[in-house]
Amino acid sequence: MNLFFILLSQIVVFSPQPNIKLEVIGEVSDTPQWSFFAPHENENVANEYVSQQILERGGVFVILRQNGKRLLRLDVKPFEVKIDPNRIFTKKGRRNNIIKHNPNLRTNTYVFHRAMRLSADLAQFIVETMGGPNVSRTWVAMHNNTQGYLGDNHHGIGNISIVQYQQKLAKGAAFLKAVTALNGDEDDLFFVTQQQDFNAMEQSGWNAVLQHPQVVTDPSEDDGSLSVYAQKIGVRYINIEAERATGHVGENHLVEQQQMLDYVFSRLELGPTSTANPQK
């Protein structure tokens, strides 16, 4: 690791629970630009490449860290409350998140309400570290998944796939507005909130999913994810999703995710929600 990288990388501690930290690469500035975020510490196929690109192109990359796993553990002594850190950005999402991952925890207890408070504070901490809810800034999330989806008759073990999104849209899923045809591997896809991005990605032959704006007004579609929160406050959101290996299943699609990242940067550098379409 070179000295330049060290100087532009820092650890910021979540003060209510110091074993939760944010690694910050680059610099948060008042000038609207772009902020990358990796919420799940075990989904890190292209994180090093993101860091390199941030140092060259500007912006900030925020990585949430605790124990190297997907779920975080909130310390509400004498208990630990598990949460998915990508389901904490709205009140409804936080509540459902805690209930899902802690089925024996009653909602009328101190522990539950303390976990709600910690989740809300952590969400605010993350957003502020990314530069705040600035509608001129673009948020780019980095995610990985593994080989298809559960129940696909191909031994799929994940729950993210362009094929599954196509099926959900066909069945009337209210949180989806559009899904492209399958291009390449089903696990490599973009999930976006703006029509211009979806149109450009579809035209360039990428797998892409467009979130429906009605997630803002339909409580049943509010899962507390960063994409829903971004849509609520009017921030452009792009998720770069690619396959990773889990045990002996799947492969790390590093090259594919690097190519996807390069494409996103080419769109970001065109300006806010540009209708222009860079080459794939």
Side-chain angles (χ1 to χ4, degrees), residues 28-276:
V28 179
S29 70
D30 294 332
T31 305
Q33 202 172 29
W34 44 77
S35 303
F36 284 67
F37 178 51
H40 298 129
E41 198 172 355
N42 66 339
E43 299 178 16
N44 52 30
V45 170
N47 280 6
E48 184 175 339
Y49 187 72
V50 177
S51 299
Q52 294 170 355
Q53 295 303 305
I54 288 292
L55 295 181
E56 292 177 10
R57 301 174 186 250
V60 67
F61 181 30
V62 177
I63 305 171
L64 181 59
R65 298 200 179 280
Q66 186 188 46
N67 55 16
K69 299 180 181 179
R70 177 182 177 84
L71 299 182
L72 295 183
R73 294 180 179 271
L74 301 178
D75 187 8
V76 187
K77 294 187 183 303
F79 302 102
E80 285 187 334
V81 179
K82 294 183 290 186
I83 60 167
D84 182 337
N86 193 39
R87 295 290 186 270
I88 62 174
F89 294 96
T90 68
K91 183 176 182 180
K92 185 175 186 296
R94 289 189 285 272
R95 179 180 175 85
N96 290 341
N97 186 12
I98 295 170
I99 292 172
K100 175 181 178 180
H101 294 290
N102 307 272
N104 295 323
L105 179 59
R106 298 196 305 273
T107 59
N108 62 346
T109 62
Y110 164 78
V111 173
F112 184 88
H113 291 291
R114 178 60 178 163
M116 284 285 289
R117 180 71 264 166
L118 283 172
S119 297
D121 290 346
L122 179 58
Q124 182 178 3
F125 179 57
I126 292 167
V127 170
E128 289 177 351
T129 304
M130 289 196 298
N134 189 325
V135 296
S136 297
R137 186 181 294 270
T138 300
W139 290 344
V140 183
M142 299 299 298
H143 286 272
N144 297 112
N145 66 86
T146 303
Q147 195 157 326
Y149 60 95
L150 187 66
D152 63 3
N153 297 320
H154 299 289
H155 307 292
I157 65 172
N159 58 10
I160 299 294
S161 157
I162 196 71
V163 174
Q164 188 176 50
Y165 279 124
Q166 290 170 341
Q167 294 174 354
K168 288 182 177 180
L169 180 64
K171 293 178 181 178
F175 74 99
L176 298 174
K177 185 175 182 182
V179 180
T180 63
L182 174 62
N183 293 289
D185 193 286
E186 65 180 293
D187 298 299
D188 303 335
L189 60 93
F190 295 106
F191 189 101
V192 301
T193 58
Q194 299 207 349
Q195 185 77 52
Q196 296 97 320
D197 287 322
F198 177 85
N199 292 345
M201 291 164 180
E202 182 177 41
Q203 183 180 342
S204 290
W206 297 103
N207 293 326
V209 179
L210 178 62
Q211 180 171 272
H212 202 295
Q214 71 188 27
V215 299
V216 173
T217 56
D218 185 348
S220 66
E221 299 302 328
D222 180 357
D223 64 0
S225 62
L226 188 61
S227 66
V228 169
Y229 178 62
Q231 192 111 46
K232 285 178 178 288
I233 64 174
V235 171
R236 180 189 188 189
Y237 172 93
I238 300 171
N239 172 18
I240 305 175
E241 184 91 44
E243 184 177 327
R244 66 163 180 176
T246 299
H248 299 293
V249 179
E251 301 175 337
N252 286 333
H253 283 191
L254 174 59
V255 172
E256 292 83 351
Q257 198 162 27
Q258 288 175 332
Q259 293 171 343
M260 296 169 76
L261 181 68
D262 290 341
Y263 177 79
V264 166
F265 266 116
S266 68
R267 283 199 56 77
L268 294 178
E269 290 168 348
L270 289 171
T273 58
S274 173
T275 57

